[in-house]
Amino acid sequence: MHRRFLKTTALVTALSLLLTSFALADVIGELIQGHDTYLGAGMELSKGVYWTGSDYETENYIEYTPSTSVFPVVVSGSKVCNYGSYSSMASLLEKEGKHVIAGINGDYFVVKTSEPLGLVVQNGVLLSSDAGHYGVGFTKDGQSVFGQPTLSLALTIGGTDYGITAVNKTRNAGEAVLYTDAYSSDYKTKNSGEGVDIVCSIDGAIGMSCTRTLTVESINTAGGAQTIPQGKVLLSVSSTVSEALMNAIKSVGSGTQIGLKISCPAGWENVSYAL
């Protein structure tokens, strides 16, 4: 089974536990049959079969009370673009000392690239930006936030701010994208076409709301897919970005420091996990 479809499968939580706050069954239709199973630690698995008026629908969901012993997490595999199974996702969490009680597929993905369509945050680290999609986030104590986590992404070069498109998404024409070494198992971007690729060191992890400094180490103008060195970030800029941004990119050299600013809507600043 494709790992991107199981991106949050290894969760004790993610969407499965999240669904508990809503009376989803009420909007499906008439309950034909159902049952509840107590899972322990304040969790209950519910299953119901409903008549919608034209067809039968089955719903499964988990109710939980957020606590230090039961909480939602998101797991995306060893890399953002990767393959795996429920057991491999669960294994990653178990290696962290977590006990997986339940899990669910939690995201949509691009088949060609295995990239998640929207936001992914794991252990407080931004692994994939939102691309305009809605999302759900979880704090360390298991509380949840819903909505559109629209990120603002900008570079500061020579005292001027320039917006960029995304974090860890395939770069399209006219876009500038920042990649981390968490992107793919072969440490390469999936880009095509002409552009400038700048390898930088970075002074900290990238989160939903942060300010970081990138220090330029090398510049490549060959275009196409490029390697993201371990422990580094890569800024990939299409040759068809705005003239202002391209002129700014042309002004940087080895040792140049570039500011990175990421901000998010109120309520999303402290999420530890999101998708």
Side-chain angles (χ1 to χ4, degrees):
M1 189 176 293
H2 197 291
R3 201 280 311 166
R4 208 26 58 208
F5 188 59
L6 292 175
K7 134 185 245 12
T8 56
T9 288
L11 319 189
V12 178
T13 53
L15 294 183
S16 58
L17 303 188
L18 149 70
L19 297 178
T20 70
S21 332
F22 298 92
L24 296 184
D26 293 344
V27 301
I28 292 179
E30 178 187 357
L31 177 65
I32 304 301
Q33 63 180 14
H35 65 268
D36 300 323
T37 304
Y38 183 66
L39 301 179
M43 296 178 57
E44 189 172 80
L45 170 65
S46 298
K47 179 175 182 177
V49 178
Y50 303 85
W51 175 247
T52 66
S54 60
D55 199 0
Y56 290 100
E57 294 286 348
T58 300
E59 178 188 55
N60 300 277
Y61 62 94
I62 293 175
E63 295 188 57
Y64 79 111
T65 300
S67 68
T68 56
S69 60
V70 178
F71 53 90
V73 300
V74 173
V75 61
S76 61
S78 56
K79 298 293 178 181
V80 175
C81 301
N82 206 356
Y83 291 82
S85 63
Y86 177 88
S87 59
S88 65
M89 298 295 99
S91 177
L92 289 173
L93 291 175
E94 288 164 356
K95 288 177 181 178
E96 299 177 6
K98 296 180 175 69
H99 175 63
V100 178
I101 303 174
I104 189 170
N105 298 336
D107 204 358
Y108 295 93
F109 65 97
V110 179
V111 175
K112 182 178 180 180
T113 62
S114 298
E115 290 176 359
L117 289 185
L119 182 72
V120 179
V121 177
Q122 188 173 318
N123 292 319
V125 177
L126 176 63
L127 297 182
S128 181
S129 52
D130 61 286
H133 294 281
Y134 283 76
V136 56
F138 303 102
T139 58
K140 287 183 178 179
D141 62 0
Q143 301 298 321
S144 60
V145 56
F146 297 85
Q148 196 163 12
T150 306
L151 292 173
S152 174
L153 310 167
L155 302 174
T156 303
I157 304 174
T160 300
D161 288 351
Y162 302 90
I164 61 173
T165 310
V167 172
N168 286 339
K169 305 282 193 191
T170 298
R171 189 205 75 202
N172 297 310
E175 295 182 344
V177 175
L178 184 69
Y179 294 91
T180 71
D181 62 2
Y183 179 66
S184 64
S185 56
D186 62 0
Y187 292 95
K188 286 184 177 292
T189 65
K190 301 178 184 296
N191 299 331
S192 60
E194 297 180 353
V196 178
D197 294 280
I198 305 173
V199 173
C200 304
S201 61
I202 186 169
D203 63 351
I206 297 174
M208 291 286 284
S209 180
C210 66
T211 301
R212 297 286 180 260
T213 298
L214 313 182
T215 302
V216 176
E217 294 192 353
S218 64
I219 301 173
N220 189 323
T221 58
Q226 296 295 324
T227 299
I228 311 161
Q230 294 187 49
K232 309 295 181 181
V233 296
L234 183 143
L235 175 62
S236 187
V237 183
S238 166
S239 61
T240 56
V241 294
S242 68
E243 182 178 359
L245 176 55
M246 183 53 69
N247 287 337
I249 292 298
K250 290 178 179 178
S251 72
V252 307
S254 181
T256 299
Q257 291 192 328
I258 299 174
L260 171 67
K261 299 177 183 178
I262 300 178
S263 60
C264 61
W268 289 86
E269 308 92 328
N270 298 317
V271 297
S272 295
Y273 300 94
L275 73 160

